[in-house]
Amino acid sequence: MGRLPAYLRAVVDLVSLGLPSVSSDRLAEETGVNPATVRRDLASLGIAGTRGLGYDLRYLIHEIGLLLGVSEDWPVVIVGAGNLGRALANYQGLAARGFPVRALLDVDPTLVGARFGQVEVLHLDEMERVVGEAGVGVGILATPADQAQLVADRLVALGVSSLLNFTEETLVVPSWVEVRRVDLATELQILSFYQRRTTGARSGAGLPLGHESNP
Amino acid sequence: MGRLPAYLRAVVDLVSLGLPSVSSDRLAEETGVNPATVRRDLASLGIAGTRGLGYDLRYLIHEIGLLLGVSEDWPVVIVGAGNLGRALANYQGLAARGFPVRALLDVDPTLVGARFGQVEVLHLDEMERVVGEAGVGVGILATPADQAQLVADRLVALGVSSLLNFTEETLVVPSWVEVRRVDLATELQILSFYQRRTTGARSGAGLPLGHESNP
DNA sequence: CAGTGTGAATTTCTTCACAGCG
DNA sequence: CGCTGTGAAGAAATTCACACTG
């Protein structure tokens, strides 16, 4: 569920403020969600609060962290050591949040052997070995679009069950594989579409625009 | 609406296949959406099809493109010329999709003056000038987290009304400003959460997991 | 007759509002 | 008495199913 990471972030912030617990109201305010929604979310996750007090922050972190798999490591490989791949490899937040980068892979011989962040660039041919040895379950695709499907197929064949796709390619994968696409241009399009709505786009009433924040 | 970019992508693909028109069924299949939803979306956008035939692809592209503002340019600035900022500046898909990068800004004197892609790194102090001159309406934040709010404030003061936030900071902005956050770790958390669901997480029935594809 | 457009049914999500607990 | 937990109401989104049309 998309709100969980937001809850976790907020809760981590709050605990670092020295607070021992948090009310649904506060957590709601912190995340921009309705308080009732917060309570229902937590309740339905099996997380109980204390009436009159709120939710214990350490317990919240523990539980949500558990749900999000933060407690264990999910080793990842990044395929494609172009600018994007290198940026991702350098991103410290990854390992910090439980996603250690086990390899940065590319086919370009001028890149193989170079280091970015903590990671050395390996040749793509090493993928099979690295994925197997490191127990990688997540693949990050930062290749040229026309290579993405190919790489995805190889990763899937190795049992990698989560793919984060930074390319423009739409991936075809078995149903047990989770794919999320991160596309800068799509994000920007959505932004500009929202923006445009404030001006005179013929609306038509019925398309769920998924906008509007707190009324 | 979040499905529009998907429609646009699919439609562009289909037209490049030489097809003249597309049925809601096909478009649905292509985007993983329900056919009725496709029809309702398009109808509510004022896009009409032809009974027995489908939707004219060129017309679809034109209309959806219009809605997404593809026809006009939305100049952007990228703040932060670290690895991520440089990767984004290098990303050709941006300009190609109507988001020309007008500036890459940083405070680091060793970076100012360097070129990445088509863009030269300017000092952050030039922001006011560039944004004004280029009519920038979108800011991309690729700064260290602790700088993000500061930069966001300055951008907002300049009238920038869309922000794409790659930092871990939660931005506080006036209501007329649209913010979207892109956070790698969050994406990965969501992925791993989905993955985990297949194993034995106590579910509790009620948390909208937003998963399940075509039934 | 293939395929749209849309009422109506259904499902899903959110929010209200309040009983009841610590 | 502050705040949870949740039934019930409401809103929104999705999907069905079918009349209708090019």
Side-chain angles (χ1 to χ4, degrees), chain A residues 1-5 8-9 30 41 44-45 63 66-70 72 74 76 83-84 86-88 90-91 93-94 97 99 138 140 161-164 166 168 170 176-196 201-209 211, chain B residues 1-5 8-9 13 41 44-45 63 66-70 72 74 76 83-84 86-88 90-91 93-94 97 99 138 140 161-164 166 168 170 176-196 201-209 211:
Chain A
M1 187 285 248
R3 278 180 303 248
L4 270 185
L8 184 55
R9 258 198 314 269
E30 216 68 37
D41 281 352
S44 79
L45 288 169
E63 284 299 304
L66 218 63
L67 284 165
L68 289 177
V70 167
E72 63 197 277
W74 292 73
V76 308
N83 283 285
L84 182 58
R86 300 203 290 257
L88 300 178
N90 252 314
Y91 175 37
L94 272 189
R97 298 229 239 152
F99 299 96
V138 182
I140 300 179
S161 53
S162 299
L163 296 176
L164 195 53
F166 279 90
E168 302 191 62
T170 302
W176 51 272
V177 176
E178 280 304 328
V179 180
R180 284 182 73 88
R181 183 210 289 247
V182 180
D183 179 25
L184 186 50
T186 298
E187 296 295 328
L188 288 172
Q189 282 178 349
I190 293 173
L191 267 181
S192 64
F193 180 61
Y194 283 159
Q195 223 42 257
R196 159 170 324 257
R202 54 203 165 316
S203 102
L207 224 201
L209 295 160
H211 205 29
Chain B
M1 188 284 249
R3 279 182 301 250
L4 270 184
L8 184 56
R9 259 198 314 270
D13 284 0
D41 281 352
S44 80
L45 288 170
E63 285 299 305
L66 218 62
L67 283 166
L68 288 176
V70 167
E72 62 198 278
W74 292 72
V76 307
N83 283 285
L84 182 58
R86 301 204 290 257
L88 299 178
N90 252 314
Y91 175 37
L94 272 189
R97 298 230 237 150
F99 300 96
V138 182
I140 299 179
S161 54
S162 300
L163 296 176
L164 195 53
F166 279 89
E168 302 191 64
T170 302
W176 51 272
V177 176
E178 279 305 326
V179 180
R180 284 182 74 86
R181 184 209 289 249
V182 179
D183 178 26
L184 185 50
T186 298
E187 297 295 328
L188 289 172
Q189 284 178 348
I190 294 173
L191 267 181
S192 64
F193 179 61
Y194 283 158
Q195 222 42 258
R196 159 170 325 256
R202 53 205 165 314
S203 101
L207 224 199
L209 295 159
H211 204 30

Side-chain angles (χ1 to χ4, degrees), chain A residues 87-110:
Chain A
L88 300 178
N90 252 314
Y91 175 37
Q92 295 306 315
L94 272 189
R97 298 229 239 152
F99 299 96
V101 179
R102 283 295 140 76
L104 179 56
L105 301 161
D106 207 300
V107 291
D108 184 342
T110 68

Side-chain angles (χ1 to χ4, degrees), chain B residues 48-71:
Chain B
T50 311
R51 288 164 194 247
L53 250 179
Y55 300 86
D56 182 83
L57 277 175
R58 304 219 175 262
Y59 180 60
L60 261 189
I61 288 190
H62 176 254
E63 285 299 305
I64 299 182
L66 218 62
L67 283 166
L68 288 176
V70 167
S71 52

Side-chain angles (χ1 to χ4, degrees), chain B residues 62-184:
Chain B
H62 176 254
E63 285 299 305
I64 299 182
L66 218 62
L67 283 166
L68 288 176
V70 167
S71 52
E72 62 198 278
D73 273 1
W74 292 72
V76 307
V77 291
I78 300 172
V79 185
N83 283 285
L84 182 58
R86 301 204 290 257
L88 299 178
N90 252 314
Y91 175 37
Q92 295 306 315
L94 272 189
R97 298 230 237 150
F99 300 96
V101 178
R102 282 295 140 77
L104 178 55
L105 301 162
D106 207 300
V107 291
D108 184 341
T110 67
L111 283 174
V112 172
R115 293 192 80 81
F116 299 100
Q118 310 298 309
V119 211
E120 186 179 353
V121 180
L122 302 181
H123 192 276
L124 188 60
D125 291 343
E126 308 246 36
M127 185 164 80
E128 277 68 16
R129 183 179 61 74
V130 171
V131 168
E133 284 177 8
V136 168
V138 182
I140 299 179
L141 296 174
T143 64
D146 58 359
Q147 301 299 313
Q149 181 64 56
L150 216 68
V151 171
D153 290 344
R154 280 175 65 179
L155 285 168
V156 166
L158 292 169
V160 170
S161 54
S162 300
L163 296 176
L164 195 53
N165 179 17
F166 279 89
T167 77
E168 302 191 64
E169 186 71 14
T170 302
L171 301 177
V172 181
V173 295
S175 64
W176 51 272
V177 176
E178 279 305 326
V179 180
R180 284 182 74 86
R181 184 209 289 249
V182 179
D183 178 26
L184 185 50

